[in-house]
Amino acid sequence: MNRPTPSPGSAPARLTGFGRLLRNELWKLFGKKRTYIGFVMFLLAQNLIALVFKLTRASAPMQRLLESAGHTAEAYLSVLTIATIMLVPVAAFLLPLYVALVGGDLVAKEAEDGTLRMILARPVSRVRLLAVKWVAGALFGMSLCLALGVFGLAFARLYFPWGGLFVWMPEQGIFGVFDGAAGLARYLAAHAMLVTEAVSILGLAFMFSCFNVKPAAATILGLSVIFVSFILEHIPYFAEYRDWFLTWHLHLWQYMFAERVPWWRVGQSLSLLVGFNATFFAVGLAVFHARDIKT
Amino acid sequence: MSLPASAGATSEPLIELRGLSKRFGARPALESLDLTVHRGDIYGLLGHNGAGKSTAIGLMLGQVWPTAGTARICGHDVHRDRRRALARVGAIFETPAFYDYLSGWRNLEIFSQYTAVTPAARLREVADWVGLSARIHSRVRTYSHGMRARLALAQALLPQPELLILDEPAGGLDPEGIHELRQTLLRLHAELGLTLLLSSHLLSEVEQLCTRIAVLRQGRKVFEGTLAEVRQASNWVRLGTRDFAAAARRLQEAGLVRQVRDGAYLQPAPGVEPDVLVRRLVDWGMPVYEIARAQQTLEAFYLTLMHPGTGSRPAPVPDVGS
């Protein structure tokens, strides 16, 4: 058995070392059926929401609100409005669940299955391995947000006409009315910001995945932290401390629908999310680096 | 097969463990292990469950952090420079784990890329060598146990290793699978000149494969040496004479023999060599047709090490003289 020299044009030679490992991780991640559970559930949930709006009088309060503000309701009972309404519950409940599921799997599932021991019999550093896995997870989070946006528009278009965007988020004090083009830009910007939520929750579950725990435990721990943070954030007495709560900074995407986007607040939260994510990764790495990998 | 065939061991050490210890909490798993595997060795690591074999292998592969000591693989400290230490090392574990939902080919691609760029031609070559070409594009979940074992071998061979580390490689294989594995390992040693280190419970396998062994008991090395040394480690001698019972009785009465068994074997008293026995028997007018040190089986030797103080055979043998 000779060691053939790779030809310069061959696929492996075109990629850098990190690129090859990233491609491996993506093969592993997207080769699993459970990776697609999130996509399928988005599809079902968004269809269901669109159908409820189409077949019931669920849009009546919204129409009254628009008319009381002097707008023509029909112009805003549109693809963009319904897709944005779909976005709120999915981003609040389904997205955290599925990114935490995948984040919790990334290391712990490989440790449980024994493939981690096979990998660590190779001359790859643990730092590099974790970095590649985190990036693959982040790409998954991005793809989930992209799917959420595309599915939302596609399914809303099945039942509603194109038109302006109307958004009402009382908790954030957002009441936005936009024409079609501006509405689409806001919708896309919101999904781009939603990536920060997806990646942060994934990063949190990923950190727990680096501990010596089962994949389900890593997912549950990640979601528990999110729920606890969410509960604390909503206790009125803690209002002045909410900058300390992770979930407070995960609502960035909602500000993309404000008449005037509070960019200072967005920038502040983004920088804090970078800090949170760096901390999650550093803790996960420290724990993983110190671990003994055994059967 | 490009590597030079070198079935014989050389003095170049590929594995050097020095004072290697590992504790899991308060429990010592391995205590001050010194071990050297030279290029060309087929080295067997023996011991009961929990003796520390897998921990030692984990330490060699940098998967387990030592409490004390160093592990040098291919001349490099595996815990400080794993990239160089493991660049030419392949490993196979008792239950090889794969991404079952992917094809064998994809699994080989994934595992090999952790070492270096591996062209498709090399993957095909290795798949062919282990006899998996026909099914290499099928999902691993459809593979039999034997096919998984061959895939494990293929992934271990991809980095063109100099050293192959096998942790209980025959676990779960049927007799035919064990035979096939043994032949493959011997072929790898003979044709590719690979140095092999394997841990095993199967003493017969180790006896048929290995040139050197180490025995671990409760985390401590209790023996390291060649199989020839194991066989010669017996303190029994086989005596051929006209009346064995009478000869044995007189030798026991003279305090030259401690035990007698099987109508042919004597255990000389400490410090008594076979030539002394021969001289005394000839003096007594008893003919000596044959006297030779008894060859010891690995099993008997192993059991002696595991149960020190019980002699080389576990079962007591009736004394002819009583």
Side-chain angles (χ1 to χ4, degrees), chain B residues 233-239 244 248 251-252 255-261 264-270 272 277 293-294 296 304 310-313:
Chain B
S234 168
N235 57 353
W236 290 83
V237 292
R238 192 177 69 250
L239 174 68
F244 177 82
L251 288 169
Q252 278 193 309
L256 297 172
V257 164
R258 287 174 62 189
Q259 291 185 75
V260 177
R261 66 170 167 83
Y265 292 94
L266 306 167
Q267 188 184 43
V272 177
L277 303 181
R293 203 173 283 281
Q296 181 159 243
T304 307
T310 58
S312 60
R313 282 170 64 109

Side-chain angles (χ1 to χ4, degrees), chain B:
Chain B
M1 308 295 161
S2 66
L3 288 176
S6 66
T10 69
S11 60
E12 185 191 349
L14 287 190
I15 300 177
E16 282 181 285
L17 310 184
R18 293 287 168 263
L20 206 56
S21 299
K22 179 65 187 178
R23 300 180 79 84
F24 292 108
R27 185 177 66 84
L30 208 59
E31 291 190 68
S32 198
L33 177 64
D34 291 317
L35 188 147
T36 305
V37 178
H38 297 281
R39 184 183 292 279
D41 275 343
I42 303 183
Y43 197 99
L45 206 52
L46 295 176
H48 286 352
N49 283 335
K53 303 187 300 295
S54 291
T55 301
I57 286 179
L59 285 160
M60 289 175 209
L61 292 170
Q63 298 171 335
V64 174
W65 296 98
T67 309
T70 57
R72 294 182 73 79
I73 306 295
C74 301
H76 305 279
D77 187 325
V78 74
H79 293 101
R80 291 174 186 273
D81 189 1
R82 62 180 286 120
R83 192 175 61 80
R84 287 189 192 170
L86 299 179
R88 300 292 295 274
V89 175
I92 299 176
F93 304 109
E94 181 179 6
T95 316
F98 294 104
Y99 304 100
D100 287 1
Y101 49 90
L102 299 175
S103 68
W105 178 271
R106 189 68 90 208
N107 271 276
L108 291 183
E109 276 188 299
I110 287 173
F111 284 116
S112 66
Q113 304 284 355
Y114 287 112
T115 301
V117 176
T118 310
R122 171 75 182 157
L123 294 176
R124 273 194 295 275
E125 186 183 25
V126 172
D128 192 43
W129 199 87
V130 299
L132 262 183
S133 294
R135 293 289 307 280
I136 197 66
H137 294 290
S138 303
R139 290 190 181 188
V140 173
R141 71 160 62 100
T142 65
Y143 283 15
S144 67
H145 197 87
M147 289 167 73
R148 290 176 74 94
R150 276 185 269 164
L151 188 64
L153 180 62
Q155 65 81 29
L157 292 178
L158 277 170
Q160 192 101 352
E162 296 175 331
L163 171 65
L164 207 53
I165 296 176
L166 306 102
D167 190 5
E168 302 281 358
L173 292 179
D174 57 22
E176 194 177 346
I178 292 173
H179 174 79
E180 189 183 328
L181 177 72
R182 189 194 321 131
Q183 295 309 314
T184 305
L185 294 180
L186 288 171
R187 204 177 140 200
L188 287 169
H189 182 250
E191 293 181 12
L192 300 185
L194 293 194
T195 302
L196 307 174
L197 177 135
L198 63 115
S199 73
S200 182
H201 288 110
L202 300 175
L203 298 178
S204 61
E205 283 309 303
V206 171
E207 201 160 24
Q208 291 179 71
L209 270 173
C210 296
T211 51
R212 284 167 59 78
I213 64 164
V215 182
L216 299 181
R217 183 162 60 90
Q218 294 173 347
R220 289 177 180 276
K221 186 178 75 180
V222 290
F223 176 80
E224 184 180 18
T226 64
L227 274 177
E229 287 168 337
V230 168
R231 293 189 185 104
Q232 293 303 317
S234 168
N235 57 353
W236 290 83
V237 292
R238 192 177 69 250
L239 174 68
T241 182
R242 188 186 303 136
D243 185 349
F244 177 82
R249 187 172 57 248
R250 290 199 66 175
L251 288 169
Q252 278 193 309
E253 286 167 358
L256 297 172
V257 164
R258 287 174 62 189
Q259 291 185 75
V260 177
R261 66 170 167 83
D262 298 351
Y265 292 94
L266 306 167
Q267 188 184 43
V272 177
E273 293 298 319
D275 65 308
V276 176
L277 303 181
V278 172
R279 203 174 305 123
R280 193 61 68 89
L281 288 168
V282 171
D283 288 347
W284 292 333
M286 293 180 163
V288 176
Y289 305 136
E290 177 193 30
I291 190 160
R293 203 173 283 281
Q295 291 271 309
Q296 181 159 243
T297 64
L298 178 58
E299 182 179 81
F301 180 73
Y302 178 81
L303 290 172
T304 307
L305 292 172
M306 291 299 117
H307 307 282
T310 58
S312 60
R313 282 170 64 109
V317 182
D319 192 321
V320 181
S322 60

Side-chain angles (χ1 to χ4, degrees), chain A residues 108-189:
Chain A
K109 188 78 171 80
E110 292 233 40
E112 185 183 60
D113 291 348
T115 46
L116 190 60
R117 197 180 176 208
M118 300 274 285
I119 293 170
L120 288 178
R122 301 272 176 178
V124 61
S125 78
R126 296 189 189 202
V127 182
R128 196 174 175 85
L129 183 63
L130 278 202
V132 161
K133 284 185 173 294
W134 189 91
V135 172
L139 289 175
F140 167 79
M142 287 178 202
S143 66
L144 211 51
C145 292
L146 180 68
L148 186 58
V150 171
F151 289 172
L153 290 178
F155 296 127
R157 187 69 188 91
L158 288 177
Y159 311 109
F160 294 93
W162 186 257
L165 169 65
F166 165 63
V167 184
W168 185 44
M169 293 175 176
E171 200 178 333
Q172 270 68 40
I174 293 171
F175 186 97
V177 179
F178 307 96
D179 62 31
L184 181 62
R186 297 302 184 104
Y187 181 82
L188 296 177

Side-chain angles (χ1 to χ4, degrees), chain A residues 236-253:
Chain A
Y237 304 107
F238 296 163
E240 61 183 287
Y241 302 110
R242 60 192 176 192
D243 277 349
W244 295 93
F245 302 131
L246 171 66
T247 43
W248 173 248
H249 304 287
L250 299 181
H251 309 313
L252 285 182
W253 63 274

